[in-house]
Amino acid sequence: MDNDISNFDLNLLKAFDALLDEQSVTAAAKRLNLTQPAVSGMLSRLRDHFDDQLFIRNQRGITPTKRAKELSLPIKQLLNDAKLMMQPVVFEPNQSTAQFRIAASDYAIKTVILPLIQLLRAQAPHIRIAVLDVEPDQIYAQLETGALDFALVTPEQTHESLYSQHLFEEHYICAVHQQHEFAQRHQLTLADFCTQPYVLVSQQGDAFQGIVDQLLATHGLQREVVLSLHSFLVLPELLASTDLFAIMPSRLIPQDAELKVLDIPLAIPTFHKCLVWHAHTHHHAPHQWLRQLIGSIYHDLAK
DNA sequence: CGGTTGTGGCTTCCCATTTA
DNA sequence: TAAATGGGAAGCCACAACCG
């Protein structure tokens, strides 16, 4: 008996199973879509491997030996398991207890994770989401090692070998408390904007200049930034309770906020948000389902 | 050095025939 | 009547030789 599975043709197990069921080499061959000699040859190899006659020839076909009867159950089980393994994985969101790790900025938490959680509570209440900080230099390694499942980033932060799905394009607006004297005006000049105190959100947290200041400089202008934050979290509340202005992504303005949105007389570039993931999760059913769900948040809104 | 091609050995198949 | 066997064909794979 050869114990080395690397030298064993697993197709022989299918032949064994057919021989056992049909108790005839000819009938087994018909079932396997092979010729009788081919199945006879397979039986010969099975006999060599198991060091047993397995099937004894009789008047009307073949009779399994004691050893063949012992092997029948484990081989049937093995073939059944293999059959199940080959079937496409059916993912049932409402039963799933899957866990996903997503890297997201506080902006992405507000714009993507928040609506995502609302959908998950209705469709997949047992799925768990862990939101982690975005570390742009580490994203590829984190996705490759499985430390992250997804990252919500801008196209500039992704890696060419990662899969990417575009979610939406975002533009900047200027926001101020709705009782501010400027909030009543219809038209504001660039000079008007430069006379106001600003709060700026910067990833560094201690920067008082950003893309807006660079654009103002090209017009020979500058503004006064009196507060620099590293997070958008308290920005709406801050604007509603002070005289500060902020230039911020449009999706961060709450519906019920006491804020006035003003047009900016300055061409600030828009930015894009996308979902990225690694190839090793690309065909994984739960990942596919969650990607489709995240994609639907903005795809459905665009309809 | 890497890619392509030719060759030989091995395995598995089928057809024809023999054997139980 | 059905299984086993012999001979030949086809396909696959490893390896060596060749080429750019």
Side-chain angles (χ1 to χ4, degrees), chain A residues 102 104-124 127 129 131 152 167-168 170 251-252 255 273 275 289-301:
Chain A
I102 306 176
S105 62
D106 57 350
Y107 170 77
I109 291 172
K110 169 76 167 63
T111 56
V112 181
I113 302 294
L114 187 64
L116 171 66
I117 299 302
Q118 289 165 351
L119 291 175
L120 283 177
R121 294 311 302 152
Q123 298 182 31
I127 283 183
I129 302 289
V131 180
L152 289 159
L167 297 178
F168 58 82
E170 174 66 295
R251 287 180 170 81
L252 290 183
Q255 301 248 322
K273 212 65 179 173
L275 178 71
W289 180 82
L290 196 71
R291 293 201 302 267
Q292 188 272 329
L293 192 67
I294 293 172
S296 75
I297 295 168
Y298 284 98
H299 179 72
D300 291 349
L301 284 177

Side-chain angles (χ1 to χ4, degrees), chain A residues 71-84:
Chain A
L71 289 167
S72 67
L73 195 63
I75 287 177
K76 276 196 181 296
Q77 184 67 54
L78 201 61
L79 290 171
N80 198 42
D81 287 348
K83 192 176 169 186
L84 287 173

Side-chain angles (χ1 to χ4, degrees), chain A residues 51-68:
Chain A
D51 198 20
D52 187 274
Q53 269 295 97
L54 297 177
F55 297 92
I56 308 296
R57 197 170 162 176
N58 61 32
Q59 282 275 289
R60 304 284 308 171
I62 51 176
T63 307
T65 63
K66 194 165 184 285
R67 177 75 174 126

Side-chain angles (χ1 to χ4, degrees), chain A residues 202-251:
Chain A
S202 157
Q203 285 192 339
Q204 287 79 36
D206 62 350
F208 289 93
Q209 290 210 324
I211 177 72
V212 174
D213 301 279
Q214 291 168 24
L215 288 168
L216 286 172
T218 65
H219 292 81
L221 297 168
Q222 59 181 27
R223 63 172 180 166
E224 185 184 15
V225 175
V226 298
L227 175 62
S228 175
L229 295 173
H230 74 278
S231 164
F232 288 106
L233 194 64
V234 297
L235 199 53
E237 194 179 344
L238 187 73
L239 295 177
S241 60
T242 67
D243 64 338
L244 294 178
F245 278 56
I247 290 176
M248 58 194 284
S250 67
R251 287 180 170 81

Side-chain angles (χ1 to χ4, degrees), chain A residues 15 17-20 22-35 39 62:
Chain A
D17 190 50
L19 286 164
L20 193 77
E22 304 293 342
Q23 310 231 335
S24 157
V25 176
T26 303
K30 201 169 182 179
R31 177 166 138 185
L32 295 167
N33 256 336
L34 296 172
T35 60
V39 177
I62 51 176

Side-chain angles (χ1 to χ4, degrees), chain A residues 45-292:
Chain A
R45 293 196 292 282
L46 281 163
R47 283 168 171 162
D48 284 347
H49 187 85
F50 289 106
D51 198 20
D52 187 274
Q53 269 295 97
L54 297 177
F55 297 92
I56 308 296
R57 197 170 162 176
N58 61 32
Q59 282 275 289
R60 304 284 308 171
I62 51 176
T63 307
T65 63
K66 194 165 184 285
R67 177 75 174 126
K69 286 175 183 170
E70 284 172 2
L71 289 167
S72 67
L73 195 63
I75 287 177
K76 276 196 181 296
Q77 184 67 54
L78 201 61
L79 290 171
N80 198 42
D81 287 348
K83 192 176 169 186
L84 287 173
M85 190 179 73
M86 296 299 177
Q87 287 178 346
V89 177
V90 178
F91 177 66
E92 294 184 24
N94 58 341
Q95 301 294 321
S96 175
T97 57
Q99 182 173 317
F100 297 96
R101 296 183 188 84
I102 306 176
S105 62
D106 57 350
Y107 170 77
I109 291 172
K110 169 76 167 63
T111 56
V112 181
I113 302 294
L114 187 64
L116 171 66
I117 299 302
Q118 289 165 351
L119 291 175
L120 283 177
R121 294 311 302 152
Q123 298 182 31
H126 307 296
I127 283 183
R128 299 196 293 174
I129 302 289
V131 180
L132 288 81
D133 285 338
V134 176
E135 298 177 65
D137 297 340
Q138 299 296 316
I139 284 172
Y140 181 81
Q142 289 173 321
L143 289 169
E144 189 181 38
T145 59
L148 277 180
D149 295 292
F150 298 103
L152 289 159
V153 293
T154 61
E156 296 76 27
Q157 291 174 314
T158 188
H159 188 276
E160 59 184 13
S161 58
L162 291 174
Y163 282 88
S164 175
Q165 180 180 351
H166 180 260
L167 297 178
F168 58 82
E169 182 179 6
E170 174 66 295
H171 69 281
Y172 287 93
I173 49 87
C174 182
V176 66
H177 189 276
Q178 63 185 10
Q179 299 304 319
H180 193 283
E181 60 165 312
F182 272 29
Q184 315 310 318
R185 297 202 199 168
H186 293 295
Q187 200 72 34
L188 290 172
T189 65
L190 208 49
D192 290 333
F193 276 94
C194 293
T195 60
Q196 302 306 311
Y198 278 85
V199 51
L200 176 149
V201 176
S202 157
Q203 285 192 339
Q204 287 79 36
D206 62 350
F208 289 93
Q209 290 210 324
I211 177 72
V212 174
D213 301 279
Q214 291 168 24
L215 288 168
L216 286 172
T218 65
H219 292 81
L221 297 168
Q222 59 181 27
R223 63 172 180 166
E224 185 184 15
V225 175
V226 298
L227 175 62
S228 175
L229 295 173
H230 74 278
S231 164
F232 288 106
L233 194 64
V234 297
L235 199 53
E237 194 179 344
L238 187 73
L239 295 177
S241 60
T242 67
D243 64 338
L244 294 178
F245 278 56
I247 290 176
M248 58 194 284
S250 67
R251 287 180 170 81
L252 290 183
I253 299 290
Q255 301 248 322
D256 56 349
E258 297 173 347
L259 299 178
K260 171 77 174 181
V261 173
L262 304 170
D263 290 333
I264 309 169
L266 201 61
I268 304 174
T270 60
F271 68 90
H272 296 260
K273 212 65 179 173
C274 57
L275 178 71
V276 298
W277 62 95
H278 193 271
H280 69 73
T281 58
H282 188 62
H283 297 290
H284 189 233
H287 278 75
Q288 288 178 324
W289 180 82
L290 196 71
R291 293 201 302 267
Q292 188 272 329

